[in-house]
Amino acid sequence: MNIPEILSLPGMASPALSPDSSSHEALSGPACSPTSDSENLSPDELELLAKLEEQNRLLEADSKSMRSMNGSRRNSGSSLVSSSSASSNLSHLEEDTWILWGRIVNEWEEWRRKKEKLLKELIRKGIPHHFRAIVWQLLCSATDMPVKNQYSELLKMSSPCEKLIRRDIARTYPEHEFFKGQDSLGQEVLFNVMKAYSLVDREVGYCQGSAFIVGLLLMQMPEEEAFCVFVRLMQEYRLRELFKPSMAELGLCIYQFEYMLQEQLPDLNIHFRSQSFHTSMYASSWFLTLFLTTFPLPIATRVFDIFMYEGLEIVFRVGLALLQVNQMELMQLDMEGMSQYFQKVIPHQFDSCPDKLILKAYQVKYNPKKMKRLEKEYAAIKNKEMEEQIEIKRLRTENRLLKQRIETLEKGQVTRAQEAEENYVIKRELAVVKQQCSSATENLQKAQSTIRQLQEQQDNPRLTEEFVAHLETELEQSRMRETETLSALREMQDKVLDMEKRNNSLPDENNVARLQEELKGLKLRESEAVASLRELKLQVQELTDSWQAHLSRGGRWKESPRKLALSDLQDELMTVRLREAHALAEGRELRQRVVELETQDQIHRNLLNRVEAESAGLQEKLHYLVAQNKGLQTQLSESKRKHAEAECKSKEEVMAVRLREADSMAAVAEMRQRIAELEIQREEGMIQGQLNHSDSSQYIRELKDQIDELKAESLSPWAGWQLDRGDALHAGTCRLPQATPPYQSPGFGY
């Protein structure tokens, strides 16, 4: 028993064997009758068709009598007669079916050209499973394809989809005996076909639904023929577009099916939409697997027979027929109930009468022109969606760039705000310093006015002149200090202007740190200047008090000499104090200068530390690059060495091949020379006629034998040289043993 007989399931034979008489009458009625093509049939074919019709009528009468007999329980003799007649009719009908399909296969081209309508009707009634393999190959023109010769070579190659194929093989027909069990023959040949196609069509590669189609083909034919049929299906039956990664063709099929549903079953369509039950939720597997995962194998194979002849049209028809039959039940279910109904109820509705499903399918209205129009509409919609997606992508890119720009501006605004805050603090401190400077200037002016008043009131010219000279000296020193303060103020103003200019361009962190350090140093110098200014004010106040006291004593200049001496001593003491104040002022100036130098030194140290840190980082990077360069040079030298060795080896091999070729050519030349000499001797012997007829014939035969031997010797080194050259050029190649095909069609080889 061969594999197809083991795998054959009930319902896969011709529909003429079905006991459902109504479906058969519908299929053989006027609309589907082959009599319209009777003028193209021979008398033998017409006689055979008449026999088939007669057997169908007998089967119908017999099935009715059997049902009536079982209902009324009549005598058993009539049942035995009817059962025996039914079995004989079945055997005769099966023989006639074999004869008809055998004639169709043998005269295939004539049937495709002249009897296309009759062939279509026979295919709709079902192809016998023994003829299914060869008829499928003939329908898709896969009997002689160049890719069949490449199949064994493709199996030796590796595919990037192997892991995915291995993972999904166990899910393909898991309950079928041919594919059950890990590492079974069915799983192995299925893996081979899917792997080979993934290498032939790398754009599609592998898609899970395609394994069910290949599995059905492998149940009917060997793996090489199944591979050729699958390649033809992908190329010519729109399956390749269905299984592409974008699945654009599947979207088109769903769009067309939704239109047919809306046009022919509007109430059911409204119910589906109200329950959010999308068409892709139940119809995607119909188009991707051609109902192989929906129906049992006998019904799915009947649908696949028609698909091989008419294409995807049968999928639309069967799908809409299922919805028409189950419209009332689906209208009463919610989304979850409909999902369960599609999975459990619909697949087994037509197990006993597949002809009824085919009849319902061809009662569905299908307009090819309208489908073409829908295809154009879908293409226009997709183009519009693509343009919108491109526009959305462009807007998203612009939005991202704007966000980056906003973030940059926000960072710049934060930096500007910090700089503005620092500038505000510096300006406020400068305003305080200006106010202090203006108060000091006012105090000096008051002191100058007081001095002028004292000069006017002083009667003693000697004391007045000395004191005025001393006060003028003090005034000059005060003016010098004021000048220095004003110069420092101008410097600070210049720095503020410089900082405002630098504020327009965002400074980096190093410049900010340097400005902060300079600001700290400036604050220290300003605090020192304020302290020295306060001390000068105190000194001026003391001098003013001393001068007032001296004036209060100046009215008594006519006193005794002792008092005059005391006043002189007080004047000297005042002079000493003034000198001491001058020395203290100079000391404070020197201390302030020292503070400035220390501040600059600290700034320079910080800069030096940063420069040293950057230098250390650059040195480390330099060391790393040097080490990396050394490693790369080592790898380069090693690769050069290996390349040189390989070149030397290849040159040696080429030289050896050339030497063998030269030797072979020399041997061939010698052999040819000897052959030429022998031929010359033969011709001379024939011309001179030295020998008689028999002797000359024997001599000629001997010469011919010698010539043949020399030719054989000349060809043997030449063939050996070609073999050596082929071994050198193609070393390591091997051929894998071909897997044993799971099925061979009985008696129908090519």
Side-chain angles (χ1 to χ4, degrees):
M1 183 178 292
N2 54 15
I3 292 176
E5 292 174 352
I6 295 173
L7 297 180
S8 61
L9 297 173
M12 296 183 68
S14 174
L17 299 177
S18 174
D20 190 354
S21 60
S22 61
S23 61
H24 179 75
E25 289 174 359
L27 287 173
S28 59
C32 303
S33 177
T35 56
S36 60
D37 203 17
S38 60
E39 64 274 3
N40 296 327
L41 297 178
S42 63
D44 294 337
E45 292 171 349
L46 291 173
E47 183 181 357
L48 180 59
L49 288 176
K51 287 182 179 180
L52 287 174
E53 294 295 332
E54 181 65 25
Q55 294 296 334
N56 289 335
R57 285 193 293 272
L58 291 174
L59 280 174
E60 178 185 356
D62 181 67
S63 61
K64 291 180 179 179
S65 63
M66 288 289 289
R67 286 195 293 269
S68 62
M69 185 269 301
N70 292 330
S72 59
R73 295 188 177 270
R74 293 182 178 176
N75 55 357
S76 59
S78 61
S79 63
L80 291 174
V81 173
S82 61
S83 61
S84 61
S85 63
S87 60
S88 61
N89 291 335
L90 286 173
S91 61
H92 288 303
L93 184 59
E94 186 175 359
E95 291 177 1
D96 294 340
T97 304
W98 272 72
I99 294 171
L100 177 60
W101 278 101
R103 184 176 297 175
I104 291 173
V105 170
N106 292 327
E107 302 172 359
W108 179 256
E109 294 298 331
E110 183 180 356
W111 278 76
R112 285 299 295 266
R113 289 195 308 268
K114 300 180 180 179
K115 307 171 186 179
E116 186 177 0
K117 293 182 180 180
L118 179 59
L119 180 62
K120 181 187 294 185
E121 295 303 325
L122 291 173
I123 291 173
R124 289 179 182 179
K125 293 178 181 179
I127 303 172
H129 66 273
H130 292 90
F131 291 89
R132 198 162 263 135
I134 189 169
V135 172
W136 283 358
Q137 296 178 58
L138 292 171
L139 282 172
C140 64
S141 302
T143 54
D144 189 13
M145 291 181 65
V147 74
K148 186 176 182 179
N149 300 326
Q150 304 173 6
Y151 182 74
S152 59
E153 297 297 329
L154 291 172
L155 295 182
K156 300 175 184 178
M157 303 168 64
S158 61
S159 172
C161 305
E162 289 185 9
K163 291 184 179 180
L164 294 175
I165 298 172
R166 287 289 185 192
R167 183 192 65 188
D168 292 337
I169 277 179
R171 307 175 189 175
T172 305
Y173 300 113
E175 301 299 327
H176 200 283
E177 290 295 332
F178 187 50
F179 299 99
K180 187 181 293 184
Q182 190 175 3
D183 298 331
S184 62
L185 178 61
Q187 290 190 7
E188 189 63 28
V189 295
L190 178 59
F191 172 79
N192 291 340
V193 175
M194 298 309 301
K195 171 188 171 182
Y197 185 79
S198 67
L199 293 170
V200 170
D201 192 351
R202 295 183 180 270
E203 182 181 1
V204 175
Y206 167 72
C207 187
Q208 185 177 4
S210 59
F212 289 93
I213 300 175
V214 176
L216 180 64
L217 296 176
L218 290 171
M219 295 178 196
Q220 310 295 330
M221 61 190 73
E223 56 179 303
E224 294 89 350
E225 298 173 1
F227 173 68
C228 295
V229 173
F230 183 64
V231 170
R232 184 66 70 182
L233 290 177
M234 295 291 284
Q235 293 175 352
E236 304 295 336
Y237 286 76
R238 297 170 58 185
L239 293 185
R240 185 175 184 274
E241 301 298 326
L242 278 173
F243 292 122
K244 276 186 178 180
S246 61
M247 289 190 172
E249 191 71 17
L250 178 61
L252 172 61
C253 292
I254 296 296
Y255 180 77
Q256 292 172 335
F257 190 80
E258 285 181 347
Y259 182 85
M260 293 177 66
L261 177 63
Q262 182 179 1
E263 184 181 30
Q264 300 184 27
L265 300 173
D267 297 335
L268 185 59
N269 182 48
I270 293 172
H271 179 66
F272 281 169
R273 291 191 176 183
S274 64
Q275 296 294 328
S276 298
F277 194 63
H278 302 290
T279 309
S280 58
M281 296 172 66
Y282 60 89
S284 297
S285 62
W286 295 352
F287 290 99
L288 291 175
T289 64
L290 308 175
F291 294 101
L292 292 174
T293 57
T294 303
F295 294 133
L297 274 176
I299 304 177
T301 311
R302 288 285 303 277
V303 175
F304 199 82
D305 289 340
I306 303 173
F307 168 76
M308 293 292 292
Y309 191 77
E310 302 182 19
L312 284 176
E313 177 183 344
I314 188 61
V315 181
F316 289 97
R317 290 183 176 276
V318 172
L320 210 60
L322 291 175
L323 296 180
Q324 286 178 351
V325 171
N326 299 278
Q327 180 178 5
M328 300 305 297
E329 290 79 2
L330 292 172
M331 292 282 289
Q332 299 174 3
L333 299 174
D334 58 358
M335 180 179 177
E336 185 66 24
M338 287 188 290
S339 179
Q340 294 294 326
Y341 194 85
F342 271 97
Q343 293 177 5
K344 297 181 179 179
V345 178
I346 289 180
H348 302 285
Q349 282 183 330
F350 300 95
D351 288 354
S352 60
C353 49
D355 294 332
K356 187 175 180 181
L357 175 62
I358 304 301
L359 176 63
K360 292 288 185 182
Y362 280 96
Q363 290 176 354
V364 173
K365 296 179 182 178
Y366 183 87
N367 190 347
K369 293 183 179 179
K370 189 174 292 185
M371 301 298 277
K372 287 289 184 183
R373 180 176 60 80
L374 292 174
E375 183 177 355
K376 293 180 181 179
E377 290 180 1
Y378 183 77
I381 292 172
K382 281 299 177 182
N383 291 333
K384 187 176 181 181
E385 289 180 357
M386 186 67 68
E387 293 175 357
E388 291 177 353
Q389 289 179 359
I390 293 172
E391 183 67 18
I392 290 171
K393 189 179 292 185
R394 185 184 66 80
L395 292 175
R396 285 178 179 173
T397 304
E398 292 181 357
N399 190 15
R400 180 172 53 80
L401 295 175
L402 289 174
K403 285 183 178 179
Q404 292 178 357
R405 187 174 180 184
I406 289 170
E407 291 176 357
T408 305
L409 291 175
E410 287 178 352
K411 291 180 181 179
Q413 287 179 356
V414 171
T415 308
R416 288 176 182 272
Q418 293 177 355
E419 292 293 328
E421 185 177 358
E422 292 177 359
N423 291 335
Y424 175 73
V425 173
I426 293 172
K427 287 180 180 180
R428 187 174 61 185
E429 293 176 354
L430 286 175
V432 173
V433 173
K434 286 180 180 180
Q435 187 176 0
Q436 292 175 356
C437 183
S438 62
S439 62
T441 304
E442 290 177 358
N443 291 330
L444 288 174
Q445 290 176 358
K446 289 180 181 178
Q448 289 176 0
S449 63
T450 304
I451 289 171
R452 284 194 296 271
Q453 291 177 1
L454 291 173
Q455 286 177 355
E456 291 175 357
Q457 294 176 1
Q458 185 61 256
D459 295 332
N460 191 352
R462 185 178 64 82
L463 292 175
T464 303
E465 290 176 358
E466 292 178 357
F467 195 77
V468 168
H470 179 69
L471 290 177
E472 287 178 353
T473 303
E474 189 70 26
L475 180 62
E476 289 176 359
Q477 292 177 356
S478 300
R479 287 178 177 175
M480 289 176 65
R481 294 191 187 94
E482 182 181 3
T483 304
E484 291 177 355
T485 305
L486 290 173
S487 63
L489 181 63
R490 290 192 188 94
E491 289 178 359
M492 293 177 70
Q493 289 177 348
D494 293 338
K495 288 182 179 180
V496 169
L497 292 174
D498 189 18
M499 290 183 69
E500 288 178 350
K501 290 179 180 179
R502 282 158 42 185
N503 187 26
N504 294 328
S505 62
L506 295 176
D508 54 4
E509 296 179 357
N510 296 328
N511 293 332
V512 173
R514 188 172 65 254
L515 289 174
Q516 290 178 352
E517 291 174 355
E518 291 179 1
L519 179 61
K520 291 179 181 178
L522 183 61
K523 287 180 179 180
L524 290 174
R525 290 195 296 273
E526 287 174 357
S527 61
E528 291 289 336
V530 171
S532 62
L533 184 60
R534 289 176 182 173
E535 290 177 359
L536 288 174
K537 285 182 180 180
L538 293 174
Q539 290 179 4
V540 170
Q541 186 65 30
E542 290 177 359
L543 290 173
T544 303
D545 295 338
S546 299
W547 183 255
Q548 291 293 337
H550 181 70
L551 289 178
S552 64
R553 293 192 302 270
R556 300 189 295 250
W557 59 276
K558 293 182 180 183
E559 293 179 356
S560 61
R562 186 178 179 181
K563 292 182 177 180
L564 291 174
L566 183 60
S567 62
D568 292 337
L569 290 174
Q570 290 178 351
D571 293 338
E572 289 178 0
L573 180 61
M574 183 64 66
T575 303
V576 170
R577 288 181 177 176
L578 289 172
R579 290 175 181 173
E580 182 181 3
H582 183 67
L584 290 172
E586 289 179 352
R588 291 189 184 93
E589 290 177 357
L590 291 174
R591 283 197 297 274
Q592 185 175 0
R593 182 64 178 168
V594 168
V595 170
E596 292 177 357
L597 292 174
E598 288 177 353
T599 304
Q600 293 178 0
D601 184 47
Q602 185 65 29
I603 293 171
H604 292 158
R605 285 180 182 177
N606 293 334
L607 289 173
L608 183 61
N609 290 332
R610 287 196 293 272
V611 171
E612 287 177 354
E614 293 177 356
S615 177
L618 292 175
Q619 287 180 356
E620 290 179 358
K621 189 174 182 180
L622 180 61
H623 292 325
Y624 174 75
L625 292 174
V626 169
Q628 189 177 9
N629 189 18
K630 288 181 180 179
L632 292 174
Q633 287 180 355
T634 304
Q635 293 178 1
L636 181 61
S637 61
E638 183 67 20
S639 62
K640 286 182 178 179
R641 183 182 63 79
K642 291 181 179 178
H643 182 65
E645 291 177 357
E647 285 183 350
C648 292
K649 189 174 181 180
S650 64
K651 287 180 180 178
E652 290 175 357
E653 292 177 354
V654 170
M655 290 298 295
V657 171
R658 288 181 178 176
L659 289 174
R660 288 197 295 270
E661 183 180 3
D663 294 338
S664 301
M665 294 295 291
V668 169
E670 290 179 1
M671 295 296 177
R672 288 179 178 174
Q673 186 176 1
R674 290 179 63 183
I675 290 169
E677 291 175 357
L678 291 173
E679 288 179 350
I680 291 171
Q681 291 178 6
R682 186 188 65 181
E683 291 175 358
E684 288 177 355
M686 291 175 64
I687 293 172
Q688 292 176 1
Q690 295 176 356
L691 301 173
N692 56 17
H693 180 69
S694 60
D695 295 336
S696 63
S697 299
Q698 185 177 1
Y699 181 71
I700 290 170
R701 284 196 298 271
E702 290 176 357
L703 288 178
K704 286 183 178 179
D705 294 336
Q706 292 179 3
I707 290 170
D708 294 334
E709 290 176 359
L710 290 175
K711 286 183 178 180
E713 290 178 1
S714 64
L715 289 175
S716 60
W718 181 258
W721 171 76
Q722 286 185 341
L723 181 61
D724 294 338
R725 186 176 183 183
D727 292 337
L729 294 177
H730 303 285
T733 59
C734 62
R735 290 179 62 86
L736 294 175
Q738 188 172 1
T740 304
Y743 175 79
Q744 292 290 344
S745 298
F748 293 98
Y750 298 106

